[in-house]
Amino acid sequence: YKKNHITNVIFRIDFPTISTLTKSDQLDIFQKKIKIYPKRNEIRGGFIEYKMTDSDLEVNRKESRMSWEFLNKGASRKLVVDPNFIVIEYFKYKNFKSFYSEINSIIKSFNESFPLSTINRIGLRYINIINVKTGNPVDWSDLINKNLYLTTSDFIEDKSKLIKNLQLIEYKETDYHIRFTAGMFNSEYPNPITRKEFVLDYDCFYEGEIPATEVMPKVKIFNKTINKWFENSIEDGLRQIMNGDA
C-alpha cells in the first residue's frame, strides 16, 4: 500500500539474565555499532519480592536494576536494552524489509558484545489506528470486516451513547500465539464516540526456550501471519484509501 495506519511496531526478545550488561565499556562498543541510535539514557528501576508470613507480608528480596534507552536522531525509533530483554519500537514504519534488516543488524551487534545462546520469548506487534475524517463515527461498512464491530450494529440501539467497543481475540497456532484487539477505542474516552477511529492491534509471540539463531525466522513467520490477519480485517474501501484511490 502507498500509505499505512501503523502507529507502533514493537519487536521484543526476552532472555536469561546477562550479568555483564552493566559494563559501560561493552555498552559503548555496542552503541558504536548501532550508529543510527546516538542518544543513550539510563533507566533506573527496582524489583521487590514479598513473602507471606503468619501475620503479615515481608520483603523477601529487593533488587535494583538498570536499563538503557537508545534513540535515533528524530526519536522515531527506540531501542531499550535490559539484562533480561531487548525492545525495538518504531513510531514511523515504512516497510517490513527495512524493519527486518535493522532489527537483524541490532541483534547481531548485541550478540557480538553480549553473546546469546537461548531466547525465552519472542514477540512482534503491529498497532494500526485508522482515522477517517468524514462519516458516521460508528459506521465502518466497506472499511472494516463487519464481524469486528457487529455487536454495535445489532445490539446497541442508541449508538450516540456508545463510549467504547473493543473485542479481544486470542488464538493459538502450532507453536505461537496471536493476541488481537480490535474496535472503536475512542481517544476521547469516557466521552461518547465522536471521532471515526478504529484500532487493529496484532500481537504475535512465542513463549519457551528457543535457540537465538531461530529468532529472525520467527519474525518472518509472525509478520506473514499479521499481514494475513490484517487483510482479513479490512474491506476494499479502506484498501482504496491506503492506495490513494479515495
Side-chain angles (χ1 to χ4, degrees):
Y1 296 107
K2 292 180 180 179
K3 60 181 180 179
N4 63 62
H5 295 272
I6 298 171
T7 58
N8 305 74
V9 181
I10 305 160
F11 165 77
R12 173 169 172 153
I13 55 172
D14 292 68
F15 38 75
T17 303
I18 300 175
S19 57
T20 57
L21 197 60
T22 55
K23 294 181 179 180
S24 60
D25 57 337
Q26 288 295 92
L27 275 171
D28 291 340
I29 294 171
F30 169 63
Q31 188 172 12
K32 287 178 181 178
K33 294 177 181 178
I34 53 166
K35 296 178 181 178
I36 60 171
Y37 291 86
K39 187 176 180 181
R40 185 170 94 196
N41 302 314
E42 291 183 352
I43 305 173
R44 296 181 179 273
F47 168 81
I48 301 176
E49 181 183 272
Y50 292 91
K51 67 176 181 179
M52 179 71 76
T53 65
D54 292 338
S55 58
D56 204 354
L57 279 174
E58 291 184 357
V59 175
N60 186 44
R61 183 163 61 98
K62 192 180 288 187
E63 180 183 306
S64 61
R65 64 186 299 129
M66 179 85 76
S67 302
W68 293 266
E69 177 186 73
F70 300 83
L71 299 170
N72 70 337
K73 288 184 179 179
S76 62
R77 304 173 198 172
K78 179 173 70 174
L79 164 65
V80 177
V81 175
D82 181 272
N84 289 107
F85 63 82
I86 291 175
V87 175
I88 301 168
E89 183 169 7
Y90 272 41
F91 304 103
K92 292 181 179 179
Y93 176 87
K94 291 184 178 180
N95 57 65
F96 179 70
K97 183 178 180 180
S98 59
F99 175 73
Y100 179 90
S101 176
E102 182 169 315
I103 63 175
N104 187 41
S105 177
I106 289 171
I107 296 303
K108 284 184 177 179
S109 297
F110 184 82
N111 198 41
E112 289 168 2
S113 298
F114 308 98
L116 295 170
S117 57
T118 59
I119 303 298
N120 297 333
R121 188 183 189 277
I122 309 166
L124 180 64
R125 182 180 179 187
Y126 285 79
I127 302 174
N128 302 260
I129 296 182
I130 294 117
N131 291 283
V132 179
K133 294 181 180 180
T134 60
N136 186 332
V138 297
D139 180 11
W140 289 91
S141 55
D142 198 38
L143 296 170
I144 300 294
N145 186 319
K146 64 181 181 180
N147 294 303
L148 298 179
Y149 62 91
L150 202 59
T151 53
T152 305
S153 302
D154 295 349
F155 186 71
I156 303 294
E157 293 183 4
D158 188 354
K159 299 177 182 62
S160 66
K161 296 179 181 179
L162 189 67
I163 62 173
K164 184 178 288 190
N165 179 23
L166 290 173
Q167 64 170 304
L168 173 65
I169 298 172
E170 296 202 17
Y171 187 85
K172 190 178 187 308
E173 288 286 0
T174 305
D175 65 346
Y176 64 93
H177 292 77
I178 306 162
R179 184 178 293 124
F180 174 41
T181 304
M184 291 168 263
F185 69 99
N186 189 9
S187 61
E188 297 180 316
Y189 180 88
N191 296 316
I193 294 173
T194 58
R195 294 184 178 182
K196 194 162 186 169
E197 304 167 319
F198 205 98
V199 64
L200 298 170
D201 181 348
Y202 308 89
D203 187 5
C204 269
F205 57 94
Y206 171 90
E207 292 181 316
E209 194 170 283
I210 190 172
T213 54
E214 294 187 28
V215 168
M216 299 313 296
K218 275 280 189 288
V219 171
K220 286 185 176 181
I221 293 170
F222 291 173
N223 181 74
K224 185 176 180 180
T225 297
I226 290 171
N227 186 64
K228 177 183 175 182
W229 278 57
F230 177 75
E231 289 298 331
N232 288 339
S233 302
I234 66 174
E235 300 292 350
D236 287 342
L238 185 57
R239 292 186 179 95
Q240 291 175 7
I241 292 172
M242 294 172 68
N243 277 323
D245 299 329

